Structure formats: C-alpha cells, structure tokens
Amino acid sequence: MDMVSSRPRRVVLDTDPGIDDALAILLALASPEIDLVGLSIVHGNCPLSDAVANALAVLQLAGHPHLPVAAGCERPLLREPVTARKTHGGRGLGYASLPASPAVPVAEHGVDMIIREILADPGEVTLVAVGPLTNVALALRKAPQIAKAVHECIIMGGALHDQGNTTPLAEFNIYADPHAAQIVLSSGMPITIMPWDITKQVRVTEEQVQALRAHGGPVPQFIADATRFYMDFHREHFGWAGCAINDPAALALVWWPELAELAELYVTVETASELTMGKTVGDFRGLTGQPANVRYVARFDSATFVERFLARMAALSQLIR
C-alpha cells in the first residue's frame, strides 16, 4: 500500500538517460513520497550532450521543465568512454522522438549539485545513482564529508551472483567507470546496491505497455516508443519477451523498501584486469575479513513493483494530456 510520509524524501537522481533512466525520471515525478530536487547527468548510455538533452526533453514531456538539470562528467576517470547505443538507440531513447526542450541545463556542474544538495540538508538527501559513478566519485573526492552527510546512496549496478550484461562478468554501469565505482564503494557512504542479478527480472511485457498506451496521451506513447526498441534488444540478445526496467526499480527503494530483502556484503571492483574489468566481487564467504560496505538487494518483489509502476504511469498519463 502506498504510504505518503509527512515529509517527502529529498532525492538527487544521478543519471544517464537512457530508456530505463527516462522511466525512472517519470516514476520520480509521479511519486509524492519523494521530492526530486534535481538531476545530475553523467556519460554512459549515450554521450553526455545527448543525455542532457534527453533529461530536459523527458522533464518537458512530464510537465516539469524547470526542474534543475546539471551536466556532469562526459568521460570516465581513466578509461575511454563506452556507450550503450545497441541497447538504447542512437540518441538514447529508443524509437521515441521527443521535441527538444526550450529549457537549458543550469550553470552548476553535476558534481557540485550533488555536493550542494547533500550538504544543504545533512541526513535528509538520498542520492540515487543509476549510471556510471563518475559524478559521485568526483563529488566524494571534492567534498569527502558528503559520505557522512548523505542519508543513503542507492546504486543500480553490478552483477554479484550472475554474469554481466556488457562483458562476461561486468554490468554496464560499473564497467563504464570501474575506478569511479571502486572510489564510491570504499568511501564509507551508506550504500544500497540494486544489482543486475535482480533488475533483469523486473520486466514489463509488450501486453502491459499496450494496456498502458490505451490510456492515451503523450506519456504512454513515449513509453511505448522507447520500450519497443528496448524489447527488440532484449529479445535478440537475451531471448526475453519484454524488457527489464532496471533504474525505476532502484529508485523505488527510496519509498517502497518493503519490496526488497536486503543483506550486508563486502563488495569491491576489479580495476586491473582487462579480462574481468568492472566485475563487482562480493565476498559472500567472508574470505577477505573485510567488514560489509554495502547492503545489496538479495530478493525483490518484481510483480508488485511492475504493477505499481504501471499504475503510477497511468496516473501520470491522466495529468499530462
């Protein structure tokens, strides 16, 4: 059951839109339990310039064109940039084509937005990072005190029990900047990881999307056009009917924590070997002797989440006609 707290949780969303990133933005705007204070944009699914344009366009679509969007880092800390055009399409939003927003990004850098928002309200801001972790790592280097001041950092990324989706062992967000991921995981931040092992099971089907589309309006049409590309990719590469909506599931942990079963774990990232670069290594047997540095989602009620997600998108479609 949806429960609205007396004070919505303030959230900064660090993102690289991206089809499922766009769905996470829409879910955030449709959810009264949180106060989305800004988007910090990072390289990843597409080049930074496209990711910024996509974020602005999705906000325009959803009737929030003035929400702050801050461009962040356009490349990883040490490695060459990688993108996910095969997964998300040439511009990052699949088959969807949104008009360019008349809004422009704020002058503030995405790293500085993260720092400012966390330090302005210590203990009250949740940072949700659903792209490569470059912005978050540099924020920690510039202002290490945010590690203690943030309420929580929720990360969509990594493959703990399962194979990767980018290399045989590495998940895309971690592989795209493994050095940044290692900085974040070793920072002492309170971190919750929603790994690819779990999110790959959080899928919407073509039938569900078509039922949503029947509500009419620009939001369901956008979701249908964007996810159709995503579904084509998942069908070709994974043999799935439907597509995983990774980033919205991670975001929803902010206000629907009851959907997840969490466990504590020590996790580190491989940064030296080209063969296993970006692998998130979980010490499940305690062999390193290191204390846990994350909570990870071990189980997730995907069916309930998808039902709630679709209901929120249907409600949003009635507001945006």
Side-chain angles (χ1 to χ4, degrees):
M1 179 178 179
D2 288 2
M3 298 295 291
V4 179
S5 64
S6 57
R7 183 186 180 189
R9 173 67 62 194
R10 292 174 63 81
V11 169
V12 174
L13 181 60
D14 189 67
T15 177
D16 58 333
I19 294 169
D20 56 327
D21 303 76
L23 300 183
I25 294 169
L26 293 175
L27 180 60
L29 298 174
S31 298
E33 298 91 344
I34 67 170
D35 175 15
L36 182 62
V37 297
L39 305 178
S40 53
I41 310 300
V42 68
H43 69 90
N45 288 324
C46 52
L48 182 68
S49 58
D50 286 339
V52 170
N54 291 344
L56 293 168
V58 171
L59 292 175
Q60 179 75 22
L61 168 74
H64 289 76
H66 302 301
L67 193 76
V69 172
C73 298
E74 65 179 354
R75 58 182 298 119
L77 296 182
L78 295 177
R79 289 168 59 78
E80 289 301 309
V82 295
T83 61
R85 293 187 187 278
K86 289 183 179 179
T87 309
H88 295 269
R91 295 287 302 275
L93 295 180
Y95 296 124
S97 179
L98 294 177
S101 172
V104 297
V106 297
E108 186 177 41
H109 194 279
V111 168
D112 295 318
M113 170 186 277
I114 292 170
I115 294 169
R116 178 181 53 76
E117 288 290 352
I118 292 172
L119 295 184
D121 204 1
E124 297 298 328
V125 174
T126 296
L127 175 61
V128 181
V130 295
L133 291 167
T134 317
N135 285 347
V136 182
L138 287 181
L140 284 161
R141 284 292 187 254
K142 186 172 184 180
Q145 64 269 35
I146 68 171
K148 301 296 186 212
V150 72
H151 174 75
E152 182 182 16
C153 179
I154 297 173
I155 295 168
M156 189 278 123
L160 294 172
H161 287 291
D162 215 334
Q163 298 175 355
N165 62 0
T166 302
T167 74
L169 293 178
E171 178 274 333
F172 176 80
N173 285 342
I174 305 301
Y175 179 78
D177 197 342
H179 303 90
Q182 181 59 18
I183 288 172
V184 174
L185 290 177
S186 60
S187 69
M189 271 182 153
I191 292 171
T192 299
I193 290 181
M194 172 67 98
W196 160 248
D197 317 46
I198 297 295
T199 64
K200 71 175 188 176
Q201 304 168 26
V202 185
R203 303 179 200 166
V204 293
T205 66
E206 185 176 352
E207 292 75 19
Q208 288 171 319
V209 171
Q210 291 307 316
L212 176 63
R213 188 180 183 183
H215 287 273
V219 170
Q221 185 64 52
F222 166 75
I223 293 173
D225 291 342
T227 57
R228 185 161 51 89
F229 186 98
Y230 218 24
M231 289 182 188
D232 288 347
F233 171 84
H234 283 81
R235 186 181 302 109
E236 178 183 354
H237 291 273
F238 299 112
W240 298 348
C243 63
I245 50 173
N246 312 283
D247 296 346
L251 175 73
L253 295 176
V254 178
W255 70 95
W256 288 328
E258 73 277 6
L259 296 179
E261 179 183 317
L262 300 175
E264 294 191 344
L265 184 67
Y266 175 70
V267 179
T268 189
V269 179
E270 175 58 63
T271 60
S273 165
E274 281 299 322
L275 181 64
T276 58
M277 179 70 72
K279 168 62 182 172
T280 40
V281 181
D283 184 14
F284 291 97
R285 296 176 59 196
L287 298 178
T288 65
Q290 296 291 330
N293 58 346
V294 308
R295 298 186 306 169
Y296 75 99
V297 179
R299 291 184 178 83
F300 188 70
D301 187 345
S302 298
T304 299
F305 168 74
V306 169
E307 179 183 327
R308 292 180 181 182
F309 169 79
L310 293 169
R312 289 278 164 105
M313 293 303 96
L316 185 62
S317 74
Q318 300 306 307
L319 297 174
I320 310 298
R321 306 302 294 179

